[in-house]
Amino acid sequence: MMLIEKCRILHFYWIQRFLEFVQNPYVATVDPCGSSTGSAISVATNMVTVSLGTETDGSILCPSSANSVVGIKPTVGLTSRAGVIQVSPRQDTVGPICRTVADAVYVLDAIVGYDNNDAVATRKASKYIPKGGYAKHLISDGLKGKRLGIMRAYPYFGFANDTKTLKKFEKHFDVLSQSGATLVENMEIVNLDHIVSMFSSEFIAMLAEFKIALNAYQKELVASPVRSLADVIAFNKKFANLEKLEEYPQDFFLAAEETNGIGKLEKEALMNLTRASKDGFEKLMKENKLDALVTPDSDGSTVLAIGGYPGISVPGGYDKNGAPYGICFGGLKGSEPTLIEIAYAFEQATLFRKPPPM
């Protein structure tokens, strides 16, 4: 565990620095997406065999999609966040980014489980770990009998009415159907106002959560010139040239520092996020008896993030200019075994992924 924790800390620091220099290995002018970008690119370019990413909202799913690799965003608490500088303990999760679903699953098997250093979250999520692990769910006919939701009218859940995107994914829908899955469409969402307002609520909650989490992290350090978010802000101002404040302003830090714990505004935001999850994603999945919701790229990341739900991004092909795009399968908490069966079967049926050009 100590080695994994050290890797996570280094990952957070160096990937942020790496972001200043990275390029999409397939098309240099295309956004490689952040913030676990280095993890995704290092795997895509064969610099490493496997890697880890940390996701608050999209930071595993988005770079995986943009760089033609597989990313698993686990149920929050399934993997320990000990040693991670968290933005939101309510949303943050650590997961594998690899070239294949199988590799990602092997890594997932290695990192799940209870950790005394992240006791509350990992104890709660341990009930989701299947006996015998996840690798047994790498089955080629994993799509057979699955019910998959395809949203075409709601941009926060899927494809909206984007004709271009829908046309691009029609072949994917055919593969899913021909592999034995049932595609469920024309679904409706009640209480859509809660869903739409979740974006502002997520930001309000995260500002306060980040300050609390960072201050707690800093206090645990054995030796450090900074001990709080206020210290970090002052440090960045003192070394503004080195920290490149003009290029990378610390607006989020400043806004977070202005918060004062979980007050009335934050409680209302958190309540709205809970309603959005219960009345939106969970109700949609349960009423339609879905095994997974299918979304393009990482477009469903916020829906999965606010409720702590898992998702798997698999390479879905390449645009005319060679830029990669992915397809994401998201599910309810603890549905990793089902999502792995779906993702692996789709991957084996398509084998879309190809290495980047030299």
Side-chain angles (χ1 to χ4, degrees):
M1 179 58 68
M2 290 302 296
L3 177 60
I4 292 176
E5 290 175 7
K6 289 178 180 178
C7 287
R8 289 173 182 169
I9 295 171
L10 288 171
H11 163 270
F12 186 92
Y13 178 80
W14 287 111
I15 295 312
Q16 302 313 310
R17 291 292 176 261
F18 192 43
L19 275 170
E20 300 174 17
F21 310 105
V22 296
Q23 290 183 332
N24 189 302
Y26 289 86
V27 181
T29 56
V30 171
D31 182 8
C33 200
S35 61
S36 295
T37 320
S39 297
I41 292 175
S42 61
V43 169
T45 55
N46 295 333
M47 294 172 65
V48 298
T49 303
V50 301
S51 66
L52 296 178
T54 302
E55 173 152 349
T56 305
D57 184 343
S59 295
I60 291 175
L61 299 178
C62 190
S64 296
S65 173
N67 295 283
S68 199
V69 289
V70 174
I72 299 181
K73 171 199 179 299
T75 300
V76 170
L78 197 64
T79 57
S80 173
R81 289 86 49 85
V84 173
I85 302 175
Q86 297 181 61
V87 176
S88 167
R90 179 180 47 81
Q91 294 185 194
D92 280 17
T93 183
V94 175
I97 300 178
C98 304
R99 285 185 287 276
T100 67
V101 174
D103 282 352
V105 171
Y106 296 143
V107 174
L108 183 66
D109 263 331
I111 64 175
V112 298
Y114 174 76
D115 181 3
N116 191 52
N117 293 314
D118 191 10
V120 175
T122 55
R123 181 183 295 113
K124 186 176 181 180
S126 290
K127 63 184 178 183
Y128 296 128
I129 302 173
K131 291 183 178 180
Y134 293 98
K136 65 182 180 181
H137 294 280
L138 294 168
I139 54 178
S140 58
D141 62 347
L143 279 163
K144 190 174 182 179
K146 299 296 193 295
R147 288 175 60 83
L148 308 179
I150 308 292
M151 299 297 294
R152 296 181 185 259
Y154 301 95
Y156 313 113
F157 280 81
F159 296 87
N161 284 315
D162 182 353
T163 304
K164 181 180 178 181
T165 302
L166 282 170
K167 185 176 180 181
K168 185 167 66 175
F169 279 86
E170 286 296 340
K171 64 177 180 291
H172 300 73
F173 300 155
D174 290 341
V175 169
L176 297 172
S177 296
Q178 291 168 8
S179 298
T182 298
L183 304 188
V184 184
E185 304 191 48
N186 302 316
M187 296 175 291
E188 294 185 3
I189 302 173
V190 296
N191 298 319
L192 188 60
D193 56 330
H194 293 315
I195 309 301
V196 174
S197 63
M198 70 185 177
F199 293 101
S200 58
S201 294
E202 182 189 28
F203 186 70
I204 290 170
M206 281 199 303
L207 286 175
E209 290 170 331
F210 175 64
K211 180 180 179 180
I212 295 170
L214 183 62
N215 286 348
Y217 175 87
Q218 299 281 15
K219 288 179 182 178
E220 292 181 353
L221 298 178
V222 176
S224 174
V226 291
R227 290 291 176 180
S228 67
L229 176 58
D231 290 346
V232 173
I233 292 171
F235 181 92
N236 289 340
K237 287 181 178 178
K238 183 177 180 180
F239 301 100
N241 290 335
L242 180 64
E243 297 299 322
K244 298 186 176 182
L245 278 193
E246 288 190 10
E247 295 177 64
Y248 308 102
Q250 52 181 349
D251 295 349
F252 185 86
F253 283 14
L254 294 170
E257 179 59 25
E258 292 178 2
T259 64
N260 188 27
I262 306 298
K264 182 179 178 181
L265 179 64
E266 288 78 18
K267 288 179 180 178
E268 289 178 355
L270 290 169
M271 190 176 299
N272 185 56
L273 293 176
T274 299
R275 286 198 302 266
S277 294
K278 297 291 184 183
D279 298 341
F281 185 63
E282 288 192 20
K283 190 171 184 179
L284 183 80
M285 294 290 290
K286 292 175 181 177
E287 286 190 347
N288 293 280
K289 299 179 180 179
L290 301 178
D291 292 294
L293 186 70
V294 184
T295 56
D297 304 305
S298 59
D299 288 5
S301 68
T302 298
V303 173
L304 299 179
I306 65 169
Y309 308 115
I312 302 180
S313 178
V314 182
Y318 305 86
D319 288 329
K320 291 181 179 179
N321 65 348
Y325 63 88
I327 184 170
C328 182
F329 304 100
L332 297 173
K333 291 181 179 180
S335 65
E336 280 84 356
T338 299
L339 297 180
I340 288 168
E341 291 178 2
I342 293 168
Y344 183 71
F346 175 82
E347 176 196 54
Q348 295 304 300
T350 57
L351 298 176
F352 280 132
R353 187 184 185 274
K354 57 185 179 182
M358 293 297 291

